[in-house]
Amino acid sequence: MKKYIVILIGLLSMQLGFGQEFSKESVIAFQDNMNTNFRNPETSPLKEEDLETFDGLDFYEISEKYFVRAKFIRTPDEKSFEMPTTTDRKPMYVKYGELHFELDGKNCRLDVFQNIELSKKPLYKNSLFLPFTDLTSGEESYGGGRYIELEIPQGDVMYIDFNKAYNPYCVYNYKYSCPIPPEQNDLPVEIKAGVKNYKK
């Protein structure tokens, strides 16, 4: 758990440490931070034998196209639920709201969630979890989907930077238990941004 918290802090700092404008430098910092965590035996999700040959994650080319402005709709009356994972673990989440945006001429919608246990910790009280799949899933990107960390917005607008989409850690090591993106978060477009599928 401690290792997970350390990794999450690093991801959140890179995800949320910049304003509501596209910043290539912010994405580069996010990628550098991920590679640093992966190279460090204390924080890396990689198996020991894979860590020895790790040469960096494979990212899509950074593109402002995948920095999208979404309409945020709060859904305050949702009930908490057990989110399915790749193991028997079923963490409690609640749907916090909906994100509506347009990409490649198509209307898109994603549900965004809050982890019940993490939200009790002061550091994560404003953290939101966005799991998704898209038309690259199972091809260029991991078939089980990818994640983005977000923060509760002040108003009804939220910016999503898909350049900061990352893989579940079970991609790299079976010992991890990873939430499975719900069916409604399957996007009808290609998200050619963020981390690609892992190849040893």
Side-chain angles (χ1 to χ4, degrees):
M1 184 64 179
K2 182 179 179 181
K3 184 176 181 180
Y4 170 78
I5 293 296
V6 169
I7 294 171
L8 185 58
I9 289 173
L11 288 172
L12 284 171
S13 66
M14 291 297 103
Q15 294 274 10
L16 308 176
F18 298 84
Q20 296 177 341
E21 295 181 357
F22 175 72
S23 168
K24 186 174 182 179
E25 291 73 20
S26 147
V27 179
I28 292 172
F30 171 78
Q31 294 178 352
D32 289 345
N33 183 69
M34 284 203 71
N35 280 326
T36 297
N37 282 334
F38 271 66
R39 291 189 181 98
N40 184 348
E42 296 299 317
T43 56
S44 180
L46 295 171
K47 298 178 182 177
E48 186 174 346
E49 59 268 28
D50 295 330
L51 184 60
E52 295 176 357
T53 58
F54 178 71
D55 193 36
L57 295 167
D58 190 12
F59 297 94
Y60 283 99
E61 184 177 348
I62 299 171
S63 173
E64 189 171 1
K65 169 185 175 180
Y66 295 105
F67 181 83
V68 302
R69 184 180 189 273
K71 179 176 177 57
F72 171 71
I73 300 176
R74 178 77 169 96
T75 53
D77 299 323
E78 300 287 341
K79 294 182 179 179
S80 57
F81 67 97
E82 294 181 337
M83 182 173 285
T85 69
T86 52
T87 66
D88 293 335
R89 185 179 71 95
K90 288 185 170 55
M92 297 300 296
Y93 279 81
V94 64
K95 176 183 170 181
Y96 193 86
E98 298 174 2
L99 300 173
H100 296 259
F101 57 95
E102 185 177 306
L103 189 61
D104 288 341
K106 295 185 178 180
N107 293 323
C108 299
R109 168 196 152 177
L110 290 171
D111 289 348
V112 64
F113 305 93
Q114 189 172 52
N115 183 299
I116 300 298
E117 286 303 312
L118 275 180
S119 67
K120 296 176 182 178
K121 302 178 184 294
L123 186 60
Y124 305 107
K125 66 179 182 178
N126 292 321
S127 299
L128 298 177
F129 176 58
L130 180 62
F132 71 95
T133 51
D134 65 274
L135 294 184
T136 71
S137 301
E139 301 294 335
E140 295 176 343
S141 68
Y142 174 56
R146 290 176 288 170
Y147 304 156
I148 295 177
E149 305 296 337
L150 297 171
E151 189 172 50
I152 296 172
Q154 296 292 326
D156 62 355
V157 172
M158 182 178 286
Y159 292 86
I160 311 169
D161 194 346
F162 287 104
N163 293 286
K164 297 178 181 179
Y166 65 94
N167 289 330
Y169 284 167
C170 53
V171 174
Y172 312 100
N173 195 323
Y174 64 87
K175 74 177 184 179
Y176 287 93
S177 175
C178 304
I180 299 172
E183 290 185 10
Q184 69 267 27
N185 275 22
D186 185 24
L187 291 171
V189 294
E190 290 184 323
I191 301 295
K192 289 180 172 290
V195 180
K196 294 184 178 181
N197 203 359
Y198 178 58
K199 297 178 181 179
K200 296 182 182 181

